[in-house]
């Protein structure tokens, strides 16, 4: 089977006044359509860098990314990004933020169609009750929901999420994870999500990609998560298989790639 | 509902919340500025008595106040005279038309000397024209150079070079250029008006350009990435991302520019003899009557007060335009 999204031998070297700084190296990954991938690794190893290359915001200095047979070399709405700090435009309401994205991808649609689609996406993330509020009038979790709605509304081929729930409290986070699983079940998006949270990775992913420490970070191990869906977080805590996966990831992070210098 | 800050203590006082504290607050808000003004007036009138000039004593607050009323009266009288002039003219034309129905009347304008109020109006009109045109030039330039680091580096030396130039240095050049280029049979504007407007514009646009550029250049990286991912076209990028990000800085620049514009205008009018408050002061100075100093002092105070009002006006405009209504602006 041909991969839907393929990263081949990706390397990036950031220019510095002296020698270029090689942040990531030898990244090879094949992702099939509808797959949910988590990227996990210690802070500063280069997770965001990988995501930004797939998004087209950074250019790989070696190797490259191919999506549906086409090389990626610029950002575009078919690779929507959910940023860590929501990145909503503070001067626009939730509705207008989503509208900005929708207008980019539905250029030939009627006003009514556009309106319906915006409202549909806000409903999907349970934000239809606060559509006309600005980001500073809603909570952190709600902002993140709007960010997700904005990304989903573009019907991207790949959804890229950089620690989407990182800044949220545990309860809100669990809530959003459940929402995300629901949406994923419905839409079957191809997703790459960065996370620091081992439970989140195991709960949501089809595969967990674990990165070694930088500089020149690369993929250390890949863990395939064969848990049946829909998954229930409460039931899973008792599940031997689930705990085995957790243990695998934890051992990679804290034994094999333990951060010694901290 | 939240009350404006300056009313809050009165409301609290009325409700009887901690009256001692409310009175202290009111004293701070209202009492201290009044005391400050009173002390200033006392020092002024004290000092004025001891300053002897060729035109007599330096005017104190009372003389200045009297002159202010005189100037208003003169304006009123002049207006009545103009009114009467037009009425006489109309009567004459009506009488003539009765005799000769084919008569094509021409209305001659009244040509009295401009009063103090007329000069204020002229100055305000000039400063607004210069400021609006200047801003329409400065903001787009600022956005352009804020978007490109290379362009900013290229343009910055030129801006830094012209920013500190005094308007008086520009004036002769502007006068020469305008009188050379602006020749028309029936000029829409007086040359003097154009000269002072251009001088004001040249001295005041720089801070708007720089502040706009800085505001645009410091737009959040995340929002720029959003724009890239959404593939926003340049127009949407500028209007939806860059300008809203830069609004606070744009207004900082505009307020500085308007302040400079107002200061420069008075000097330009004085030097170029173009109508306005500057000319009013110069005429009074040339006049050298016993009232001159008081009249100049009236002009000084009015100039200061209008400058203050202009700044407040910009603040109101900023509050209106700004998306972040909770931001404290001062
Ligand atoms: N634009 C850049 N220029 C230079 N160096 C960069 C740039 N972006 C990232 N780096 C470097 O690349 C390395 C990886 O950074 P990256 O942001 O990808 O880490 P991360 O895994 O996302 O960390 P975190 O979990 O804290 O977000 C870091 O050492 C960082 O300093
Ligand atoms: Mg990161």
């Amino acid at each position: 089977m041909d991969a839907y999204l393929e990263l081949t031998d990706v390397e990036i070297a950031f220019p510095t006044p002296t020698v270029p700084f090689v942040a990531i190296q030898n990244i090879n990954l094949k992702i099939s359509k509808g797959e949910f991938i988590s990227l996990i690794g210690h802070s500063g190893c280069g997770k965001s860098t990988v995501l930004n290359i797939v998004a087209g915001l950074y250019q790989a200095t070696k190797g490259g990314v191919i999506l549906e047979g086409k090389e990626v070399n610029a950002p575009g709405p078919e690779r929507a990004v959910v940023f860590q700090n929501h990145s909503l435009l503070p001067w626009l309401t939730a509705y207008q933020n989503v509208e900005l994205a929708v207008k980019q991808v539905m250029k030939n649609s009627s006003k009514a169609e556009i309106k319906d689609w915006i409202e549909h996406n806000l409903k999907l993330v349970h934000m239809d009750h606060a559509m006309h509020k600005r980001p500073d009038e809603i909570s952190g979790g709600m902002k993140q929901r709007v960010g997700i709605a904005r990304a989903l509304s573009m019907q991207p081929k790949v959804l890229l999420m950089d620690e989407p729930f990182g800044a949220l409290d545990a309860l809100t986070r669990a809530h959003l994870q459940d929402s995300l699983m629901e949406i994923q079940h419905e839409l079957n998006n191809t997703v790459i999500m960065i996370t620091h949270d081992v439970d989140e990775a195991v709960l949501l992913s089809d595969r967990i990609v674990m990165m070694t420490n930088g500089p020149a970070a690369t993929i250390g191990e890949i863990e395939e998560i064969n848990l049946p869906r829909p998954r229930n977080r409460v039931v899973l805590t008792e599940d031997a298989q689930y705990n085995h996966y957790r243990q695998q990831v934890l051992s990679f992070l804290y034994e094999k790639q333990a951060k010694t210098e901290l | 509902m939240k009350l404006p800050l300056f009313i809050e203590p009165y409301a609290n006082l009325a409700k009887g919340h901690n009256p001692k504290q409310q009175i202290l607050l009111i004293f701070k808000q209202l009492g201290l500025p009044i005391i400050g003004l009173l002390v200033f007036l006392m020092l002024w009138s004290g000092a004025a008595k001891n300053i002897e000039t060729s035109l007599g004593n330096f005017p104190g607050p009372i003389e200045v106040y009297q002159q202010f009323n005189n100037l208003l009266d003169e304006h009123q009288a002049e207006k009545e005279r103009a009114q009467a002039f037009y009425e006489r003219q109309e009567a004459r034309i009506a009488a003539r038309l009765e005799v000769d129905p084919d008569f094509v009347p021409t209305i001659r304008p009244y040509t009295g000397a401009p009063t103090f109020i007329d000069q204020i109006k002229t100055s305000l009109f000039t400063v607004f024209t210069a400021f609006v045109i200047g801003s329409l030039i400065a903001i787009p330039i600022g956005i352009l150079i804020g978007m490109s680091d290379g362009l900013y580096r290229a343009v910055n030396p030129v801006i830094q070079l012209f920013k500190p130039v005094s308007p008086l240095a520009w004036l002769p050049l502007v006068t020469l250029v305008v009188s050379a280029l602006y020749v028309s049979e029936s000029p829409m504007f007086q040359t003097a008006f154009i000269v002072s407007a251009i001088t004001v514009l040249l001295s005041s646009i720089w801070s708007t350009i720089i502040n706009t550029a800085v505001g645009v250049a410091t737009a959040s990286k995340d929002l720029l990435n959003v724009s890239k991912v959404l593939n926003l076209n340049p127009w949407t990028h500028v209007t939806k991302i860059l300008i809203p990000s830069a609004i606070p800085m744009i207004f900082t620049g505009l307020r500085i520019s308007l302040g400079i514009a107002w200061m420069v205008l008075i000097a330009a009018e004085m030097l170029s003899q173009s109508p306005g408050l500057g000319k009013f002061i110069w005429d009074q100075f040339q006049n050298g009557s016993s009232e001159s100093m008081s009249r100049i002092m009236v002009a000084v105070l009015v100039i200061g007060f209008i400058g203050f009002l202009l700044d407040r006006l910009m603040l109101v405009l900023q509050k209106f335009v700004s998306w972040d209504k909770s931001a404290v602006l001062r």
Side-chain angles (χ1 to χ4, degrees):
Chain A
M1 189 197 78
D2 264 357
Y4 185 65
L5 175 68
E6 184 165 7
L7 286 79
T8 315
D9 214 10
V10 171
E11 173 177 324
I12 194 165
F14 291 111
T16 70
T18 54
V19 284
F21 172 75
V22 179
I24 55 172
Q25 212 174 27
N26 286 326
I27 305 275
N28 286 290
L29 187 64
K30 291 185 181 188
I31 300 171
S32 36
K33 196 167 177 177
E35 204 175 1
F36 195 118
I37 300 282
S38 287
L39 264 182
I40 200 163
H42 287 288
S43 184
C45 72
K47 303 180 295 294
S48 297
T49 307
V50 172
L51 200 83
N52 282 331
I53 291 173
V54 178
L57 291 166
Y58 287 173
Q59 289 295 321
T61 37
K62 226 182 100 190
V65 178
I66 291 177
L67 173 61
E68 267 196 327
K70 278 200 226 69
E71 177 158 11
V72 164
N73 42 31
E78 82 280 3
R79 280 161 285 120
V81 185
V82 177
F83 296 91
Q84 169 159 15
N85 47 0
H86 69 79
S87 296
L88 300 177
L89 310 196
W91 38 86
L92 299 183
T93 63
Y95 181 91
Q96 291 167 327
N97 265 288
V98 178
E99 186 182 30
L100 197 65
V102 170
K103 283 205 166 149
Q104 288 306 108
V105 292
M106 294 176 66
K107 291 196 166 119
N108 302 320
S109 307
S110 71
K111 275 199 175 130
E113 280 175 311
I114 288 181
K115 182 168 183 283
D116 283 348
W117 182 243
I118 297 167
E119 287 175 356
H120 169 78
N121 279 281
L122 283 165
K123 223 169 255 162
L124 206 60
V125 295
H126 308 299
M127 273 301 296
D128 41 324
H129 61 288
M131 281 199 292
H132 300 294
K133 291 198 167 160
R134 280 207 318 262
D136 59 353
E137 298 165 327
I138 58 182
S139 71
M142 290 158 92
K143 283 187 260 225
Q144 214 47 267
R145 283 173 190 275
V146 178
I148 293 171
R150 176 171 69 184
L152 290 174
S153 72
M154 295 187 264
Q155 293 185 287
K157 290 178 182 161
V158 184
L159 183 60
L160 304 170
M161 302 204 277
D162 193 345
E163 293 182 47
F165 312 133
L168 305 176
D169 64 277
L171 275 174
T172 312
R173 179 194 288 233
H175 210 70
L176 281 181
Q177 287 163 354
D178 290 339
S179 284
L180 185 60
M181 277 197 287
E182 237 171 72
I183 293 168
Q184 177 62 11
H185 181 70
E186 204 169 311
L187 305 179
N188 203 29
N189 283 302
T190 308
V191 183
I192 302 180
M193 179 182 80
I194 295 177
T195 180
H196 272 133
D197 179 339
V198 176
D199 294 288
E200 178 171 284
V202 178
L203 181 70
L204 296 175
S205 316
D206 296 315
R207 276 192 292 163
I208 301 178
V209 173
M210 292 170 261
M211 289 184 65
T212 63
N213 291 335
T218 188
I219 295 176
E221 285 176 23
I222 298 183
E223 187 74 35
E224 208 159 314
I225 311 295
N226 288 313
L227 293 171
R229 289 178 191 270
R231 297 172 184 169
N232 179 316
R233 69 175 68 245
V234 183
V235 176
L236 281 178
T237 47
E238 308 268 310
D239 188 297
Q241 194 62 22
Y242 173 83
N243 284 310
H244 165 74
Y245 292 137
R246 276 192 75 216
Q247 192 272 328
Q248 288 290 306
V249 179
L250 287 170
S251 114
F252 176 87
L253 287 177
Y254 300 110
E255 286 164 10
K256 297 175 200 160
Q257 293 291 326
K259 277 229 148 181
T260 43
E261 71 268 31
L262 288 180
Chain B
M1 209 194 86
K2 199 158 159 25
L3 288 169
L5 214 57
F6 62 94
I7 300 186
E8 228 170 298
Y10 302 95
N12 287 339
L13 192 63
K15 287 184 214 145
H17 294 322
N18 201 352
K20 223 177 194 171
Q21 174 127 27
Q22 307 308 335
I23 288 172
L24 200 71
L25 250 173
I26 292 173
F27 175 71
K28 265 194 194 163
Q29 277 180 4
L30 209 64
L32 288 180
I34 289 178
I35 291 176
L37 276 174
L38 285 178
V39 170
F40 166 73
L41 289 178
M42 267 160 55
L43 288 176
W44 172 15
S45 68
K49 281 197 200 87
N50 298 316
I51 303 177
E52 199 64 66
T53 73
S54 57
L55 297 177
N57 252 337
F58 193 87
I62 299 181
E63 290 90 332
V64 170
Y65 178 71
Q66 281 165 350
Q67 274 314 318
F68 178 66
N69 282 332
N70 282 352
L71 285 168
L72 290 184
D73 291 345
E74 278 170 28
H75 175 71
Q76 200 55 40
E78 192 71 18
K79 242 171 61 183
E80 275 158 20
R81 233 170 297 149
Q83 176 87 24
F85 172 82
Y86 285 116
E87 273 166 13
R88 275 202 309 278
Q89 208 175 157
E90 266 165 38
R92 229 177 7 242
I93 290 169
R96 178 86 190 262
L97 276 171
E98 234 160 75
V99 187
D100 171 12
D102 297 331
F103 175 68
V104 182
T106 49
I107 298 190
R108 277 174 303 130
Y110 178 71
T111 50
T115 63
F116 183 60
I117 305 291
D118 294 334
Q119 303 283 39
I120 293 179
K121 285 184 195 158
T122 312
S123 285
L124 280 176
F125 179 68
T126 317
V127 87
F128 269 118
T129 313
F131 176 69
V132 168
I133 295 176
S135 307
L136 290 179
I137 296 172
I139 293 175
I141 293 181
I143 291 172
L144 273 181
I145 63 177
M147 279 167 77
S148 147
D149 191 45
L151 199 59
Y152 181 77
R153 278 168 205 270
V155 177
N156 198 32
V158 181
I159 296 177
Q160 297 301 343
L161 185 70
F162 286 127
K163 202 168 73 136
V165 174
S166 156
L168 307 183
W170 282 115
L171 194 63
L173 293 176
V174 174
T175 311
L176 288 170
V177 172
V178 169
S179 13
L181 296 183
Y182 190 71
V183 277
S184 84
E185 289 297 305
S186 53
M188 193 160 53
F189 301 107
Q190 281 186 314
T191 320
F193 165 77
I194 295 190
V195 169
S196 28
I198 291 180
T199 308
V200 167
L201 191 149
L202 282 176
S203 352
S204 70
I205 54 173
W206 311 108
S207 51
T208 302
I209 295 185
I210 296 211
N211 280 282
T212 305
V214 171
V216 168
T218 51
S220 142
K221 192 110 202 315
D222 290 322
L223 297 188
L224 298 183
N225 279 340
V226 169
S227 172
K228 282 189 198 155
V229 169
L230 296 186
N231 266 348
L232 295 184
N233 62 35
W235 175 252
T236 316
H237 176 66
V238 168
T239 53
K240 289 277 159 67
I241 310 249
L242 294 185
I243 292 183
S245 309
I247 279 285
M249 283 301 280
I250 292 179
F251 269 92
T252 308
L254 287 176
R255 280 169 73 186
I256 298 173
S257 280
L258 185 56
I260 293 177
W262 184 238
M263 272 202 268
V264 164
L265 177 71
I266 307 299
E269 286 169 348
M270 249 167 130
L271 202 70
S272 71
Q273 292 294 294
S274 67
L277 278 168
K279 183 160 166 19
F280 174 86
I281 294 180
W282 190 250
D283 288 349
Q284 293 303 328
F285 177 58
Q286 295 296 324
N287 211 349
S289 79
S290 55
E291 296 171 337
S292 292
M293 277 201 295
S294 315
R295 293 187 159 213
I296 292 176
M297 202 58 205
V298 172
V300 167
L301 294 178
V302 167
I303 289 169
F305 188 63
I306 292 178
F308 168 74
L309 285 186
L310 288 178
D311 194 57
R312 291 285 112 172
L313 195 72
M314 288 306 291
L315 202 65
V316 171
L317 194 64
Q318 177 171 11
K319 279 193 183 143
F320 180 71
V321 173
S322 167
W323 53 272
D324 188 1
K325 304 290 180 207
S326 62
V328 182
L329 302 171
R330 54 178 99 231

